């Protein structure tokens, strides 16, 4: 089992709109391709949990706007897009990557665990603890884990925008994001569409 513990740090009174996040990993290491599978499932789960609400819409808009802008850059070198800030999902989210910059523990911190189990090559099982979360914490959970993977894995940063855009199409054409069908079937749809996209790109047939 792989576990990702996200700490949503208490807001800084001088920057109340900024959410600072740190991520700790423990247990088994996910294969690189498995990270985007886990994230797809987490995103679908949290959209279902949020329901037909403004926070859900805000989360989709943040990710989809980023994905549209990033989709033209997916074949650029990882270090280049990282240095340019293209991998940053939201100006209101700060991921702590340097342990020396992590805020001191505070009463307002929230800790969320994402536990991942499953066999290599199969869709993982993703569980979030605690199950009951504030809407904004669900939004920052999805963004925080995506940002963590974005910085750490060049393959994730290249694939994520294609997965987000595939899910946007799924939600527009097949099932609304807050339905159980979207939670169950959306991730596999995104994985299949991303695979088709990159296969076509490798063959030089992407339009």
């Amino acid at each position: 089992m792989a576990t990702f513990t996200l700490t949503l740090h208490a807001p800084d009174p001088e920057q109340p709109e900024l959410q600072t996040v740190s991520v700790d990993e423990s247990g088994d290491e996910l294969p690189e391709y498995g990270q985007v599978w886990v994230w797809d499932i987490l995103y679908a789960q949290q959209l279902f949990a949020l329901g037909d609400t403004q926070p859900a819409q805000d989360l989709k808009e943040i990710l989809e706007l980023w994905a549209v802008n990033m989709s033209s850059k997916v074949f650029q070198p990882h270090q280049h897009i990282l240095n340019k800030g293209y991998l940053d999902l939201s100006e209101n989210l700060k991921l702590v990557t340097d342990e020396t910059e992590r805020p001191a523990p505070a009463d307002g911190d929230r800790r969320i665990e994402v536990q991942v189990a499953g066999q290599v090559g199969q869709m993982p099982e993703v569980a979030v603890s605690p199950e009951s979360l504030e809407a904004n914490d669900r939004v920052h959970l999805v963004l925080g884990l995506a940002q963590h993977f974005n910085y750490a894995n060049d393959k994730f940063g290249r694939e994520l925008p294609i997965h987000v855009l595939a899910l946007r199409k799924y939600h527009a054409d097949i099932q609304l994001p807050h339905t159980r069908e979207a939670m169950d079937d959306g991730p596999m749809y995104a994985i299949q569409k991303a695979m088709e996209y990159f296969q076509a790109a490798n063959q030089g047939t992407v339009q």
Side-chain angles (χ1 to χ4, degrees), residues 72-84:
S72 63
K73 306 176 180 69
V74 296
F75 296 109
Q76 294 182 15
H78 181 259
Q79 195 60 48
H80 171 73
I81 59 177
L82 180 63
N83 292 343
K84 288 286 189 179

Side-chain angles (χ1 to χ4, degrees), residues 70-186:
M70 181 62 194
S71 61
S72 63
K73 306 176 180 69
V74 296
F75 296 109
Q76 294 182 15
H78 181 259
Q79 195 60 48
H80 171 73
I81 59 177
L82 180 63
N83 292 343
K84 288 286 189 179
Y86 297 149
L87 292 175
D88 296 342
L89 297 171
S90 170
E91 63 182 11
N92 292 325
L93 182 87
K94 177 185 177 182
L95 181 73
V96 178
T97 56
D98 186 337
E99 194 66 29
T100 64
E101 297 180 359
R102 182 179 295 213
D107 290 341
D109 292 351
R110 287 93 66 215
R111 289 169 62 87
I112 307 171
E113 281 194 356
V114 179
Q115 297 180 337
V116 183
Q119 301 298 316
V120 173
Q122 298 180 357
M123 288 294 282
E125 297 178 4
V126 180
V128 173
S129 178
E131 294 182 1
S132 179
L133 294 170
E134 296 290 335
N136 284 341
D137 289 351
R138 293 189 186 279
V139 170
H140 291 130
L141 167 63
V142 172
L143 294 176
L145 192 59
Q147 194 68 75
H148 174 68
F149 289 150
N150 244 5
Y151 285 168
N153 179 2
D154 60 337
K155 291 182 176 63
F156 184 90
R158 184 165 63 245
E159 289 217 6
L160 181 61
I162 308 305
H163 284 245
V164 171
L165 294 177
L167 283 166
R168 180 179 69 171
K169 179 174 175 58
Y170 179 91
H171 295 147
D173 296 348
I174 302 175
Q175 290 290 349
L176 293 172
H178 56 274
T179 62
R180 183 170 292 278
E181 291 83 0
M183 180 178 69
D184 292 340
D185 300 334

Side-chain angles (χ1 to χ4, degrees), residues 21-67:
V21 182
S22 56
V23 180
D24 297 293
E25 298 187 24
S26 59
D28 298 331
E29 184 174 347
L30 290 179
E32 287 185 329
Y33 69 83
Q35 293 179 355
V36 75
W37 293 12
V38 166
W39 186 85
D40 287 345
I41 294 169
L42 179 70
Y43 182 35
Q45 287 176 346
Q46 298 313 305
L47 287 178
F48 176 72
L50 285 165
D52 187 12
T53 62
Q54 190 60 48
Q57 187 60 37
D58 292 344
L59 175 59
K60 281 174 53 63
E61 288 180 358
I62 290 169
L63 288 166
E64 290 168 7
L65 177 60
W66 173 82

